[in-house]
Amino acid sequence: VLTEGRTMAVKTRKGRPRRAGLDAEVLAATVDLVAADGYAGTTLDDVAGAVGAAKTTLYRRWPSKGELAVDALATVLGTPPTDLPPGPDGLRAAIDWLVAGVRGGGVQRLLLGVVTEAADNPKLRAGLRTRMRDPFTRRLASDWDLPRKDVDLAFDVVVGTLLHRLAMTGRITTADAKAVSEVAGHLLFGTDSMS
Amino acid sequence: VLTEGRTMAVKTRKGRPRRAGLDAEVLAATVDLVAADGYAGTTLDDVAGAVGAAKTTLYRRWPSKGELAVDALATVLGTPPTDLPPGPDGLRAAIDWLVAGVRGGGVQRLLLGVVTEAADNPKLRAGLRTRMRDPFTRRLASDWDLPRKDVDLAFDVVVGTLLHRLAMTGRITTADAKAVSEVAGHLLFGTDSMS
Amino acid sequence: VLTEGRTMAVKTRKGRPRRAGLDAEVLAATVDLVAADGYAGTTLDDVAGAVGAAKTTLYRRWPSKGELAVDALATVLGTPPTDLPPGPDGLRAAIDWLVAGVRGGGVQRLLLGVVTEAADNPKLRAGLRTRMRDPFTRRLASDWDLPRKDVDLAFDVVVGTLLHRLAMTGRITTADAKAVSEVAGHLLFGTDSMS
Amino acid sequence: VLTEGRTMAVKTRKGRPRRAGLDAEVLAATVDLVAADGYAGTTLDDVAGAVGAAKTTLYRRWPSKGELAVDALATVLGTPPTDLPPGPDGLRAAIDWLVAGVRGGGVQRLLLGVVTEAADNPKLRAGLRTRMRDPFTRRLASDWDLPRKDVDLAFDVVVGTLLHRLAMTGRITTADAKAVSEVAGHLLFGTDSMS
DNA sequence: TTCTAATCGAGACGGTACGTCGTGTCTTCTT
DNA sequence: AAGAAGACACGACGTACCGTCTCGATTAGAA
């Protein structure tokens, strides 16, 4: 399930074209509704209703609620920024982008729901890796010449810790964000380069 | 919801006594079934059937699936070891106990399920803190004179990161465990005391 | 699926007893709703709503819409009258009871729907025979000493012809009823005994 | 909806001409597929696929599944034979033609499906009368000087009874056919002219 | 030759019903 | 009082079919 493949599809396809922009509308609605009602509390009928589509239309594009959620997640966390300055500042900014992404706009509950389903579903796991973590890891590994293994770990530490804190306290505070950011910094800079 | 409080209830009550040891059986069955079928894939009917009890009996003892799961979790992760040696070795051992606990015997999927529900359920959040994290934090904070805040963070890093890795790859490897253990060590020892 | 078996069930059953009288309510609602909206136009949700039950409750008692419909039909056509006078007059009355039953109170559309499903469903066929035609045939065959084969034919002629006329003209007139009744009479009396 | 009117449409029209012979192919495929899978079990997508056409093409030619089915039915039952001998033998042959038509080549399930829809759909009812029953009735009424009302009744008895027997037993046997044929004979010959 | 228009294959779409599953509540009899 | 048993209300899931729609591509007669 590749968003690019879907939205950028060669224009010369047979049959009635898919409703333009519907994918993006659905993904946005998914993020919003899950932010408001939680992952389990969000129905595909709700999503369909929110965008004026039929449930069957959603099922034609995504094989399950989980796959849709992964896609929705990728719209928020799948594209790390490209305009990062070189050196330590850029690296810090990259980490903070991830931290802010997890905290921001109701991504938390969506992420939590997807992560839980992924544990039981290999396809979702692959989706999460490919669409969410890999882009981040690739960017950092290449731009700062870091071992991918280390960046993967930093990613999992950041996302995992923040989610767990959410589950423990109900919210992710600025202090939480700062602390996690520092832990990730240590991992990527080495033990001596953080203030 | 305290297991002790429940099972040790005033002995001299009217009526039929509660089936002895049922609590423990149920909690064990919960851990086993969730390990096998996942959290969502485990029904309360399944659990009831596994211990030869009726679903209503479970609901008399636990108000919801989530609370039962928290209780089951506490049987595995709620009691940090008491025979830890003083000094850094004991601290490392404490961390490794937690890491091993999360990895071991199918706790992973149970933990993931509970964590997800907890995000939307204050009562479960409180249960997780009280029954799982607080015992760990209290022990470490008092025995090694550490700020509770730091131990909480270490706890969340360990558990959160391992769970997230589970969601990413489907399993938690020995290498994962070692890496996470080291990160937690850094947090509690300071940047200079880990090899 | 035996109504008797269900409603007259031995009182000493375990568990919460089934809602008393619900079967009858459901069957009556089914007859009424199908009369109003047609067989295809009647949803099990509609039926459930009409009696204040949940759809799942209906599915616990009947395995499918078709089986429910057969049961509903049997409440109307499954019990030929017992107080028929002996001799030709009683036989005529029996036929007219059947004719009136098919015509009456919206049974037509229900019957038509069931008959159609039965053609593709052996279980429904058996149900129709056992619950609807057999009681009629048994009664007439024994009371008037007729070959069952002949009564079966008369039954099929009456019901089939009336339904087909319904499909042709949209309604079953009194004249239709009279004509069909006479045809059936011929079959059972022999060619010479009808005026 | 007249097949002739459609296929023989004014030859001199602009635009791309309709695919020649498609109507006949579709009707044949409809008969075959319904014979195999039943009326409800046959999708318009199935029919379209069977003849290598698009569903939209079918909907351009027939306004609904029911209308298509009526048309398909008319290809089988809409044209009583013209070479019938005069006198009772011809009449008997006409009846047997109808009986054989209903029994033959999977017409049964198609007929049953159409009849059911017709009960709720005036247009289909008119179609059935015009395209199926009227030709039969007209022929018999004129050739043997019978009241149309009587022939209509005979028609309904034959078709209705056979269909109902199908719904009761799953098949129409030779004995069924013979019995129904005799009943219809009685109706048209009078009570004394059948052996 | 170019224009115009009906038809075709293809497939997406809105809507609606189906039958299934799981949670948490309830009602009964039994211990 | 507690338990076993099972019915119950509720609500979401994912599937199937109908009939409609919107494309690009044909294929003719008309201009």
Side-chain angles (χ1 to χ4, degrees):
Chain A
V1 180
L2 292 173
T3 293
E4 298 190 5
R6 204 157 41 233
T7 49
M8 299 180 54
V10 189
K11 239 330 176 24
T12 47
R13 266 220 307 281
K14 294 183 179 178
R16 173 176 175 173
R18 295 194 159 188
R19 181 173 138 186
L22 180 59
D23 274 34
E25 286 179 60
V26 169
L27 297 175
T30 301
V31 171
D32 292 347
L33 288 174
V34 171
D37 305 329
Y39 182 78
T42 300
T43 302
L44 277 196
D45 268 313
D46 293 342
V47 177
V51 301
K55 186 170 55 162
T56 40
T57 297
L58 302 196
Y59 275 102
R60 187 177 309 107
R61 297 174 178 224
W62 293 275
S64 72
K65 185 181 178 182
E67 302 260 1
L68 166 59
V70 169
D71 245 31
L73 211 44
T75 63
V76 183
L77 293 179
T79 317
T82 54
D83 55 349
L84 295 173
D89 285 352
L91 190 49
R92 254 185 282 264
I95 294 171
D96 287 341
W97 170 84
L98 181 60
V99 170
V102 173
R103 288 186 70 200
V107 178
Q108 310 165 11
R109 302 172 94 181
L110 177 57
L111 192 40
L112 207 42
V114 171
V115 157
T116 301
E117 283 213 356
D120 295 332
N121 185 332
K123 204 172 166 190
L124 289 190
R125 283 203 295 272
L128 279 179
R129 285 198 308 272
T130 308
R131 323 269 323 278
M132 187 176 73
R133 192 173 69 173
D134 283 358
F136 183 84
T137 296
R138 251 198 306 271
R139 173 73 44 84
L140 267 66
S142 70
D143 287 9
W144 281 272
D145 195 35
L146 295 166
R148 297 191 48 153
K149 222 187 57 168
D150 291 3
V151 186
D152 277 347
L153 179 60
F155 184 94
D156 289 347
V157 165
V158 167
V159 177
T161 303
L162 290 177
L163 288 185
H164 198 258
R165 181 128 296 187
L166 174 66
M168 286 288 159
T169 63
R171 52 191 298 269
I172 303 175
T173 66
T174 309
D176 295 334
K178 187 150 174 289
V180 168
S181 177
E182 278 179 21
V183 175
H186 273 287
L187 284 172
L188 297 184
F189 283 111
T191 55
D192 52 353
S193 53
M194 292 293 282
S195 58
Chain B
V1 180
L2 290 172
T3 294
E4 298 189 8
R6 203 158 44 236
T7 49
M8 298 182 54
V10 188
K11 285 243 174 109
T12 47
R13 262 214 306 270
K14 272 201 194 171
R16 172 175 176 171
R18 292 197 158 185
R19 181 172 141 185
L22 180 59
D23 276 33
E25 285 181 60
V26 169
L27 297 175
T30 302
V31 172
D32 291 347
L33 288 173
V34 171
D37 306 328
Y39 183 78
T42 301
T43 301
L44 278 194
D45 273 310
D46 293 341
V47 176
V51 300
K55 189 169 56 163
T56 29
T57 300
L58 303 195
Y59 273 103
R60 188 176 302 109
R61 298 175 180 221
W62 293 274
S64 73
K65 183 183 179 180
E67 303 260 3
L68 167 59
V70 168
D71 242 32
L73 214 43
T75 64
V76 184
L77 293 179
T79 316
T82 54
D83 55 348
L84 295 173
D89 286 350
L91 190 49
R92 256 185 278 265
I95 294 171
D96 287 341
W97 171 84
L98 180 60
V99 170
V102 173
R103 288 185 71 199
V107 178
Q108 310 165 10
R109 303 171 95 180
L110 178 56
L111 192 39
L112 204 43
V114 172
V115 157
T116 301
E117 284 213 355
D120 293 334
N121 185 333
K123 203 173 166 191
L124 287 190
R125 283 204 294 272
L128 279 178
R129 284 199 307 273
T130 308
R131 322 267 325 276
M132 187 176 74
R133 192 173 70 173
D134 284 358
F136 183 86
T137 295
R138 253 199 305 270
R139 173 73 46 84
L140 267 65
S142 69
D143 287 8
W144 283 271
D145 195 35
L146 295 165
R148 296 191 49 155
K149 221 187 57 168
D150 290 3
V151 187
D152 277 347
L153 178 60
F155 184 94
D156 290 348
V157 165
V158 166
V159 177
T161 303
L162 290 177
L163 288 184
H164 198 258
R165 181 128 298 189
L166 173 66
M168 286 287 157
T169 63
R171 52 192 297 269
I172 304 176
T173 66
T174 308
D176 295 335
K178 187 152 174 288
V180 168
S181 176
E182 278 180 21
V183 175
H186 273 288
L187 283 172
L188 297 184
F189 285 110
T191 57
D192 51 355
S193 54
M194 293 294 282
S195 58
Chain C
V1 179
L2 292 173
T3 293
E4 299 190 6
R6 204 160 40 236
T7 49
M8 300 181 54
V10 188
K11 235 334 174 21
T12 46
R13 264 219 310 279
K14 293 183 179 178
R16 173 176 175 173
R18 295 194 159 188
R19 183 173 136 186
L22 180 58
D23 274 35
E25 287 179 59
V26 169
L27 297 174
T30 301
V31 172
D32 291 347
L33 287 173
V34 171
D37 306 328
Y39 181 78
T42 301
T43 301
L44 277 196
D45 268 313
D46 293 342
V47 177
V51 300
K55 185 171 56 165
T56 40
T57 297
L58 302 195
Y59 275 103
R60 188 177 308 107
R61 297 173 179 225
W62 293 275
S64 71
K65 185 181 178 182
E67 302 260 3
L68 167 59
V70 169
D71 245 32
L73 211 44
T75 64
V76 183
L77 293 180
T79 317
T82 54
D83 55 349
L84 295 172
D89 285 351
L91 189 50
R92 256 185 279 266
I95 294 172
D96 287 341
W97 170 85
L98 181 60
V99 170
V102 173
R103 288 187 69 199
V107 178
Q108 309 166 10
R109 303 171 95 180
L110 178 57
L111 192 40
L112 207 41
V114 171
V115 157
T116 302
E117 284 214 355
D120 295 334
N121 185 333
K123 204 172 165 191
L124 289 190
R125 283 204 295 271
L128 279 179
R129 284 198 307 272
T130 308
R131 321 270 322 280
M132 187 176 73
R133 192 174 69 173
D134 283 358
F136 183 85
T137 296
R138 252 197 307 270
R139 173 74 43 83
L140 266 66
S142 70
D143 286 8
W144 282 272
D145 196 35
L146 295 166
R148 296 192 46 155
K149 223 186 56 167
D150 290 2
V151 187
D152 277 346
L153 178 60
F155 184 94
D156 289 347
V157 165
V158 168
V159 178
T161 304
L162 290 177
L163 288 184
H164 198 258
R165 181 129 297 190
L166 173 65
M168 286 288 159
T169 63
R171 53 191 298 269
I172 304 175
T173 66
T174 308
D176 295 334
K178 186 151 175 290
V180 169
S181 176
E182 277 179 23
V183 175
H186 274 286
L187 283 172
L188 297 183
F189 284 111
T191 55
D192 51 353
S193 54
M194 292 293 283
S195 61
Chain D
V1 180
L2 291 173
T3 293
E4 298 189 6
R6 204 160 41 238
T7 48
M8 299 183 55
V10 188
K11 283 243 175 110
T12 48
R13 260 212 309 268
K14 269 208 204 171
R16 173 175 176 171
R18 293 196 159 184
R19 180 172 140 185
L22 181 58
D23 275 33
E25 285 181 60
V26 169
L27 296 174
T30 300
V31 171
D32 291 347
L33 288 173
V34 171
D37 305 328
Y39 182 78
T42 301
T43 302
L44 278 195
D45 273 310
D46 293 342
V47 177
V51 300
K55 189 169 56 163
T56 29
T57 299
L58 303 196
Y59 273 102
R60 186 175 305 107
R61 298 174 181 223
W62 294 275
S64 73
K65 183 182 179 181
E67 302 261 2
L68 166 59
V70 169
D71 242 32
L73 215 43
T75 63
V76 183
L77 293 179
T79 317
T82 54
D83 54 350
L84 295 172
D89 285 350
L91 189 50
R92 255 187 280 265
I95 294 171
D96 288 340
W97 170 85
L98 180 60
V99 170
V102 173
R103 287 186 69 200
V107 178
Q108 310 165 11
R109 303 172 95 181
L110 178 57
L111 192 40
L112 204 42
V114 172
V115 157
T116 301
E117 285 213 355
D120 294 332
N121 185 332
K123 204 172 165 192
L124 288 190
R125 282 203 296 271
L128 279 178
R129 284 198 308 272
T130 310
R131 324 267 323 276
M132 188 175 74
R133 193 174 68 173
D134 283 359
F136 183 86
T137 296
R138 251 198 307 269
R139 172 74 45 84
L140 266 65
S142 70
D143 286 9
W144 282 270
D145 195 35
L146 296 164
R148 295 192 48 155
K149 221 187 58 167
D150 291 2
V151 187
D152 278 345
L153 179 60
F155 184 94
D156 290 346
V157 165
V158 167
V159 177
T161 304
L162 291 177
L163 289 185
H164 198 257
R165 180 127 299 188
L166 172 67
M168 286 287 158
T169 63
R171 51 193 297 269
I172 303 175
T173 65
T174 309
D176 295 334
K178 187 150 174 290
V180 169
S181 176
E182 280 181 19
V183 175
H186 273 287
L187 283 171
L188 297 184
F189 285 109
T191 55
D192 53 353
S193 53
M194 292 292 284
S195 61

